[in-house]
Amino acid sequence: MRSKEDYLKALKDGRKVYYRGKLVEDITSHPILRIAALHAAKLYEYQDRLYEDSKLGKISKFFKVPKSPQDLLDRHKLIYDLTLYCNGIFNISQAIGSDALFALMITARQVDKKYGTDYYKRVEKYFEEVAKQDLTLATAQTDVKGDRSKRPSEQVDPDMYVRIVDVRSDGIVVKGAKAHTTQSAVSDEIIVIPTRAMRENDKDYAIAFAIPTNTQGLKMYTRPIDEIEGNTSAILSKKDYELETLTVFDNVFIPWDRVFLFKEYDHAGTLAMLFATYHRFTALSYRAATINLYLGTALYTAEANGIQNEKHVRDDIVDIMLYKEIMRMAALSAAYNPIISEGIAIPNPVFVNIGKLYSNMHFIDVIKALIDISGGIIATLPSEEDFLSEEKDVILKYLRGNIDGYSRSKILRLSKELAASNFVGYLLTLMIHAEGSIEASKIELFRSYDYSEAKELVRKILQ
């Protein structure tokens, strides 16, 4: 299978990545962006990631198509454990792409049955290529959307959703942009799927396809990594972070064998929601692991401050614990009670969306708990340069708590990064909006919930 070195070498392929207004010639040597590449590369160092597939041989566990509750439970554990391995930062390298592939497999079979197309063969062929080559995948779903009150075909600028602009004998040409595409700049391939349900007037936007990241006409504009730049106090972000890009398709050509949906507008919503269900299950799994950062930091900070036995601290710790375990309970419940479609197990949408909704709405409580335990010092802590200066002994003398000043300053620096820095601003936005907004989870939960039991109970009483 692929090595870390193989993966990093493959990133030097002429892809068009821009950072702070400049084209990045080699992302693996860029002083900031290389950290995201090295984070992704940890996938290939993780010891327990391969399994023996009866057809494809030894491949990544991320590419094991779930057929049963046990398969989904195993996937949850893989995502959870790999997140811990990557210092509590989710490694999306093969997770999000396989989420999309499972959704494509189900949708392709449904479209083939209705229209006599051959999408499933295309998806299967692509899946086997990706699995055998052990590639990393980004998924581009969220269109830039323009005027949110208008549908894709109603936009003043038609490129606000990715659309077909030309149909050729050998494939299609697309134009448009997708927003916040995670780890796209350091992935081998990008899978593109619809962001919403479509109507007949929107059929040119009802497309799904996959392309190599160095495809001509594909441009990626990377967000500023403010959690590192100008922040010498950062600890975690210097080891692991994930980047996002505005991903622009400037008349990009896709051959037919990599086109998985072509104007079948009535299936765009199905594909979008299937992906969201898998991806929210992934979110529950990695978020449960990520919260260990907050739980562990809170415990060490409470001890450093000498308040570990105070009632309000216990309350804060329980709030963090609740968040972590509700995420895990929702993921396990979703895995134990799947929906089977086209022979593939789908995490239970109700449990997925309940867990995701709780996650969206209560992450702020986790931050509040850590701030309460840490104290205001994390907002006014001296700089890393101060700790390295000739005045360090004076500063550390007055940072003493229940432990010596040097040890307390280290845990306070991590607490600051998690609760009072650019990083937490990024993470708060991610936890509220990534893998679907609060409203998206509410809509799907309201739509997919089975009300029959409650209605039957009341109907019986009213007879």
Side-chain angles (χ1 to χ4, degrees):
M1 295 300 291
R2 208 177 190 196
S3 69
K4 170 184 174 180
E5 290 71 28
D6 294 333
Y7 159 73
L8 292 172
K9 184 178 179 181
L11 297 180
K12 304 175 186 181
D13 59 1
R15 62 189 60 201
K16 295 295 186 290
V17 178
Y18 295 84
Y19 187 67
R20 294 193 179 274
K22 296 180 180 178
L23 179 65
V24 178
E25 296 296 334
D26 178 4
I27 204 166
T28 65
S29 61
H30 190 277
I32 301 298
L33 302 189
R34 68 187 297 270
I35 298 172
L38 292 172
H39 168 75
K42 288 185 176 181
L43 170 74
Y44 297 105
E45 298 176 320
Y46 186 59
Q47 295 297 311
D48 189 28
R49 74 177 192 92
L50 302 176
Y51 87 105
E52 192 71 31
D53 182 82
S54 59
K55 180 180 179 182
L56 302 177
K58 187 167 287 189
I59 62 171
S60 169
K61 290 179 180 177
F62 278 107
F63 298 126
K64 184 176 184 180
V65 181
K67 304 285 187 179
S68 66
Q70 187 59 53
D71 288 342
L72 289 172
L73 289 169
D74 291 343
R75 185 172 176 83
H76 160 73
K77 186 176 187 304
L78 173 65
I79 295 166
Y80 186 94
D81 290 347
L82 182 59
T83 302
L84 290 181
Y85 180 77
C86 294
N87 294 314
I89 303 300
F90 177 38
N91 192 317
I92 209 168
S93 299
Q94 290 179 342
I96 190 171
S98 53
D99 285 336
L101 283 168
F102 302 153
L104 280 165
M105 287 176 175
I106 295 168
T107 307
R109 278 182 165 155
Q110 293 173 349
V111 178
D112 288 351
K113 288 176 182 177
K114 185 172 182 178
Y115 293 106
T117 49
D118 66 346
Y119 290 132
Y120 183 77
K121 287 183 179 179
R122 299 183 196 179
V123 173
E124 186 177 42
K125 178 175 178 288
Y126 178 72
F127 170 79
E128 291 181 2
E129 289 174 359
V130 165
K132 287 179 180 178
Q133 294 176 49
D134 206 13
L135 300 182
T136 57
L137 307 167
T139 298
Q141 181 181 37
T142 306
D143 292 277
V144 294
K145 297 178 182 176
D147 183 344
R148 269 59 168 179
S149 70
K150 299 182 185 300
R151 300 190 63 80
S153 58
E154 299 169 346
Q155 297 290 325
V156 173
D157 185 335
D159 297 335
M160 293 300 97
Y161 289 74
V162 174
R163 67 188 178 108
I164 301 163
V165 293
D166 192 18
V167 180
R168 298 169 17 183
S169 60
D170 53 348
I172 62 173
V173 178
V174 304
K175 190 175 183 180
K178 296 281 188 177
H180 34 259
T181 316
T182 305
Q183 289 290 75
S184 52
V186 292
S187 293
D188 296 299
E189 296 263 334
I190 297 179
I191 299 174
V192 178
I193 59 176
T195 193
R196 60 176 294 172
M198 304 286 184
R199 297 174 183 169
E200 186 171 5
N201 289 343
D202 305 318
K203 63 183 179 182
D204 286 343
Y205 300 90
I207 49 174
F209 58 88
I211 53 173
T213 311
N214 66 344
T215 298
Q216 185 176 355
L218 182 66
K219 299 178 181 179
M220 292 163 284
Y221 301 90
T222 309
R223 71 171 175 90
I225 314 300
D226 293 326
E227 56 266 44
I228 299 176
E229 290 189 310
N231 181 17
T232 54
S233 296
I235 299 175
L236 175 63
S237 299
K238 288 180 180 178
K239 301 174 183 291
D240 292 271
Y241 78 84
E242 294 198 316
L243 55 78
E244 288 79 26
T245 65
L246 174 65
T247 308
V248 175
F249 301 82
D250 186 9
N251 293 311
V252 173
F253 170 73
I254 302 103
W256 283 118
D257 66 342
R258 281 170 165 258
V259 176
F260 310 132
L261 192 71
F262 175 69
K263 298 188 179 185
E264 290 85 7
Y265 65 89
D266 51 335
H267 285 78
T270 300
L271 176 54
M273 190 46 60
L274 273 172
F275 167 73
T277 301
Y278 279 110
H279 196 38
R280 288 169 191 169
F281 177 76
T282 293
L284 295 175
S285 303
Y286 86 74
R287 290 181 183 205
T290 294
I291 295 306
N292 283 300
L293 281 171
Y294 283 84
L295 183 57
T297 302
L299 290 167
Y300 276 112
T301 304
E303 183 178 347
N305 288 344
I307 56 174
Q308 64 269 34
N309 295 320
E310 298 297 326
K311 179 185 181 302
H312 75 281
V313 171
R314 291 198 299 270
D315 291 344
D316 288 333
I317 295 295
V318 169
D319 283 345
I320 300 173
M321 194 188 308
L322 274 174
Y323 187 95
K324 172 187 170 181
E325 296 306 335
I326 286 174
M327 294 304 94
R328 184 148 56 178
M329 288 162 60
L332 294 176
S333 297
Y336 274 118
N337 300 275
I339 294 171
I340 307 297
S341 180
E342 305 297 338
I344 299 176
I346 304 168
N348 187 286
V350 170
F351 296 132
V352 163
N353 282 289
I354 285 175
K356 180 63 168 51
L357 191 56
Y358 185 91
S359 176
N360 292 144
M361 297 172 68
H362 291 281
F363 181 66
I364 189 69
D365 296 336
V366 174
I367 298 172
K368 177 186 173 184
L370 183 55
I371 292 173
D372 190 39
I373 290 171
S374 302
I377 186 65
I378 61 173
T380 62
L381 193 67
S383 69
E384 175 66 5
E385 288 81 1
D386 289 319
F387 292 132
L388 297 174
S389 73
E390 294 179 355
E391 300 298 315
K392 65 180 180 180
D393 291 340
V394 176
I395 295 170
L396 293 175
K397 169 183 170 66
Y398 292 105
L399 285 178
R400 179 174 188 86
N402 188 40
I403 57 177
D404 66 90
Y406 174 74
S407 299
R408 182 168 177 253
S409 72
K410 286 182 67 178
I411 189 63
L412 287 176
R413 279 175 58 198
L414 182 56
S415 183
K416 175 180 180 176
E417 187 171 5
L418 292 175
S421 70
N422 284 325
F423 173 73
V424 74
Y426 161 80
L427 195 60
L428 180 59
T429 305
L430 181 148
M431 289 293 194
I432 290 175
H433 230 281
E435 299 95 27
S437 65
I438 290 174
E439 186 62 18
S441 289
K442 285 182 177 180
I443 290 171
E444 180 55 25
L445 184 58
F446 187 83
R447 181 168 49 197
S448 62
Y449 194 80
D450 183 1
Y451 298 97
S452 60
E453 187 176 67
K455 291 177 72 175
E456 176 59 25
L457 175 62
V458 174
R459 187 198 64 78
K460 184 172 63 174
I461 295 170
L462 296 176
Q463 279 184 334

